[in-house]
Amino acid sequence: MYRKKLIAFAIASALVVVAAALGAVWSSRVTLTQMAQVNVANALLAEHLEVSSMSYRLFKQLTDEILFGEGANQAKVRNKRALISESLERIRILEQQQRAALGLESTRGTIEDTDDLKAQIDAIIEGFENAMPGATSEADRLNQVRFILEERIDIAFREAINTAVERQSGVVQALNGRINNIQQLIFWASLALGAVAVILILLGVSWLIRAVSAPVNALIRAADAISHDDLSHRVPRGFDVEFDQIAAAFNQMAKDLATRNMEREQAQERLEYLVAQRTAELTDANSALERSDVVRRNFLADVSHELRTPLTIIRGEAQVALRQENRDSSEYREALRSVLEQSVSLSHLVDDLLFVARADTDSLRIDRHSVDLVGLVADVERDLAKLAMEKGIEISTSAPTSLDVIADPERLRQLLVILVDNAIRYSANDTHVSISAQRSEEDVVVEVQDQGHGIDAKDLPFVFERFYRGSGSTDGVGMGLGLTVARAIVEAHGGEIMADSEVGKGTTIQVKLPMVGLT
């Protein structure tokens, strides 16, 4: 509907314009020829000025090259000469058109001026070429340049170009005078028609303002409501079709904003949830640190106790042996044997502590060699056979005939001894311990499985951590360092170690060593 009103207003305005155009047709016919001639004359004048400008730039470039040794860009020189020639050719064509339209009397000398101008430019360029460095002596060259600048450019060329411009300016002024009279007539006629048009337009604008103000005011109220976060406000409908479309778009925008606000609130709630979750994780981590600190303190207390016990025994045996004078050699040997056992136990404890400390500081040295893993497993089985027999435990192995790895043989042996020794010590009497070694697609896998009492689920995640001992820990030194040392050895070789256990059924320790370096 609003479009129809605009069309009606446009038609009324068009009628006014058509009336004005019809009133000006008679003057257009009279001035059409004159305007064409004026255009030609103005174009000629512009071409003369362009030729003058390009010529002076070309002359300056050539003069600088001769006088100051500034190398002229020959491509630009050729381009300027080509542009000057093209401009002179256009001047000739326009002058012929102008002479055909105005007659010889009104355009006398214009064509002849162009020929003279071309001759002057060619003579000047030729003079510059003859005065180039190397063509003549320095004195002759400077005299030639002075002659070109003073006689040909400042006098001959300037006169030629000024004469052509002045003559063409006279033609332009004459044509402008002819048109001026016609323009006066057109002015007064246009003034009368303009007054009528203004009145009609004012009336049309007033009508349009009344038609537009209501929907615009509704849009303003809606915008103000939305700016105050009232996204429930809607623009009323019932105006022209175009304004109803705007209202629909505005209402949809408000609806979309409300949806986005709701999504933002949901996202904020989600963020708050994630922050709370992360806070809980940090709280758990802090609790773990506190637990680790408790374990560390307990560990220090246990270390003190474990160090004190063998030291006390060693000191006591030594004191007793020194106090008694009439003791036979067997008694001294027994005292020395006790001292030796306690020293060995103490040495093992110190070695484990030193090994863990080096692993902590990344200073653990791994001396890699080719190792027969199957033979190493057999050696460990043989070394621990006596301990297994004491408890009636049967040890079985499962491995290929040959499985060579690149590793530190001493550390790898220490790893196997720790795992098999733990399995024997944690197993009940008359049970079974199995050792398996095999090659997978990416790793060499070693598993040690026992039939002991197992590890409680709450202790299982911490069995490899330093300073941690589960409630059922009964290893030889009572420090809980065995699996910590084992993990350090495996990680130093770039592998991983895992534990799986079920209370009452036993524990399986699995070691994976990477294929890198395997033979």
Side-chain angles (χ1 to χ4, degrees):
M1 188 65 182
Y2 183 68
R3 186 180 289 110
K4 293 180 179 179
K5 295 177 181 178
L6 287 177
I7 291 173
F9 178 75
I11 291 174
S13 300
L15 291 176
V16 174
V17 172
V18 168
L22 290 175
V25 166
W26 64 274
S27 60
S28 297
R29 287 186 175 182
V30 175
T31 59
L32 184 59
T33 302
Q34 298 295 324
M35 291 299 296
Q37 294 170 358
V38 168
N39 290 336
V40 172
N42 285 327
L44 268 171
L45 184 58
E47 289 292 344
H48 279 96
L49 295 174
E50 182 65 20
V51 167
S52 175
S53 175
M54 287 191 295
S55 297
Y56 277 116
R57 288 200 298 272
L58 175 60
F59 298 157
K60 182 181 182 304
Q61 188 173 2
L62 293 173
T63 301
D64 289 344
E65 181 183 14
I66 295 171
L67 294 181
F68 305 112
E70 297 180 0
N73 188 323
Q74 294 302 316
K76 292 183 178 180
V77 170
R78 289 192 297 271
N79 185 47
K80 287 187 176 70
R81 294 189 65 175
L83 292 175
I84 292 171
S85 297
E86 291 173 3
S87 184
L88 289 172
E89 186 61 29
R90 287 195 295 272
I91 288 173
R92 286 194 185 91
I93 294 171
L94 292 172
E95 284 177 340
Q96 291 172 359
Q97 294 177 2
Q98 183 176 264
R99 180 163 290 181
L102 300 180
L104 177 60
E105 198 62 34
S106 298
T107 61
R108 187 179 301 277
T110 54
I111 296 177
E112 294 74 15
D113 289 344
T114 301
D115 294 336
D116 181 57
L117 187 59
K118 183 178 184 307
Q120 291 286 349
I121 293 172
D122 291 341
I124 292 170
I125 293 173
E126 183 180 358
F128 276 121
E129 292 175 346
N130 293 333
M132 287 295 176
T136 61
S137 65
E138 182 69 17
D140 292 341
R141 182 166 58 86
L142 294 176
N143 288 333
Q144 289 179 16
V145 172
R146 187 179 299 110
F147 174 77
I148 293 170
L149 294 176
E150 294 177 357
E151 298 296 330
R152 290 188 174 177
I153 295 177
D154 287 346
I155 297 176
F157 176 74
R158 188 184 300 276
E159 279 186 11
I161 194 66
N162 288 343
T163 299
V165 171
E166 289 174 2
R167 183 173 285 115
Q168 190 57 40
S169 297
V171 174
V172 172
Q173 290 176 1
L175 290 172
N176 288 335
R178 294 179 188 178
I179 293 175
N180 188 50
N181 294 329
I182 297 173
Q183 288 179 337
Q184 291 294 327
L185 293 174
I186 294 174
F187 171 76
W188 292 110
S190 299
L191 188 61
L193 290 174
V196 174
V198 168
I199 293 173
L200 293 176
I201 289 172
L202 289 175
L203 292 175
V205 168
S206 176
W207 168 68
L208 282 177
I209 289 174
R210 288 195 298 271
V212 171
S213 60
V216 168
N217 289 334
L219 290 174
I220 292 174
R221 288 193 295 272
D224 183 68
I226 291 177
S227 67
H228 288 83
D229 293 331
D230 183 8
L231 299 180
S232 62
H233 185 87
R234 295 294 181 267
V235 180
R237 309 289 289 274
F239 301 110
D240 294 331
V241 175
E242 294 79 5
F243 276 112
D244 281 349
Q245 292 175 350
I246 296 175
F250 210 97
N251 292 338
Q252 184 62 40
M253 178 187 69
K255 182 179 178 181
D256 292 343
L257 286 174
T259 301
R260 290 176 185 175
N261 282 350
M262 182 177 65
E263 292 174 351
R264 183 188 63 190
E265 292 175 356
Q266 293 174 350
Q268 185 174 359
E269 292 176 357
R270 172 64 177 170
L271 180 60
E272 292 175 354
Y273 168 77
L274 293 175
V275 169
Q277 187 180 40
R278 183 59 178 165
T279 302
E281 293 174 356
L282 292 174
T283 301
D284 293 341
N286 186 59
S287 299
L289 289 175
E290 292 177 354
R291 183 173 61 252
S292 176
D293 186 61
V294 172
V295 171
R296 180 185 59 82
R297 290 196 297 268
N298 292 337
F299 169 78
L300 293 176
D302 290 342
V303 166
S304 301
H305 174 73
E306 294 297 331
L307 291 175
R308 184 186 300 112
T309 299
L311 289 175
T312 300
I313 294 174
I314 291 172
R315 184 179 61 186
E317 290 290 342
Q319 288 174 344
V320 170
L322 290 173
R323 287 173 183 172
Q324 297 180 0
E325 297 180 355
N326 299 320
R327 298 185 69 177
D328 57 22
S329 60
S330 61
E331 291 176 334
Y332 283 112
R333 292 180 63 85
E334 180 64 23
L336 290 175
R337 185 192 62 78
S338 177
V339 169
L340 177 61
E341 288 181 354
Q342 295 302 319
S343 299
V344 170
S345 175
L346 185 61
S347 177
H348 288 165
L349 175 60
V350 173
D351 287 343
D352 286 345
L353 291 174
L354 181 59
F355 184 90
V356 171
R358 286 177 176 174
D360 250 357
T361 59
D362 293 328
S363 60
L364 186 62
R365 297 182 59 184
I366 299 297
D367 188 11
R368 298 177 187 268
H369 299 286
S370 178
V371 182
D372 179 11
L373 184 59
V374 177
L376 193 62
V377 170
D379 291 343
V380 171
E381 178 187 4
R382 184 174 57 255
D383 292 344
L384 296 177
K386 181 179 179 181
L387 178 63
M389 291 177 59
E390 291 176 356
K391 299 184 66 175
I393 295 175
E394 178 185 0
I395 302 178
S396 65
T397 60
S398 173
T401 57
S402 177
L403 186 57
D404 294 338
V405 297
I406 301 299
D408 187 325
E410 294 299 327
R411 296 304 181 188
L412 196 55
R413 179 185 180 87
Q414 183 182 7
L415 169 66
L416 293 174
V417 169
I418 289 173
L419 299 183
V420 177
D421 181 76
N422 278 356
I424 294 173
R425 293 180 184 279
Y426 289 143
S427 296
N429 294 341
D430 302 321
T431 55
H432 179 262
V433 171
S434 64
I435 308 170
S436 67
Q438 60 184 348
R439 185 187 300 241
S440 67
E441 293 182 359
E442 298 180 355
D443 307 286
V444 169
V445 180
V446 178
E447 287 188 352
V448 177
Q449 184 175 12
D450 63 52
Q451 295 178 338
H453 58 74
I455 303 173
D456 193 276
K458 65 181 178 59
D459 295 326
L460 191 60
F462 311 105
V463 293
F464 296 108
E465 290 187 6
R466 185 172 310 130
F467 311 142
Y468 189 88
R469 289 190 303 163
S471 56
S473 177
T474 60
D475 60 320
V477 297
M479 292 301 301
L481 288 175
L483 290 180
T484 301
V485 173
R487 182 180 66 176
I489 294 173
V490 172
E491 291 179 350
H493 283 80
E496 60 179 328
I497 185 169
M498 295 169 287
D500 184 28
S501 183
E502 186 175 351
V503 175
K505 293 186 177 181
T507 301
T508 299
I509 304 295
Q510 184 184 76
V511 174
K512 290 183 178 181
L513 298 176
M515 293 286 288
V516 177
L518 297 183
T519 60

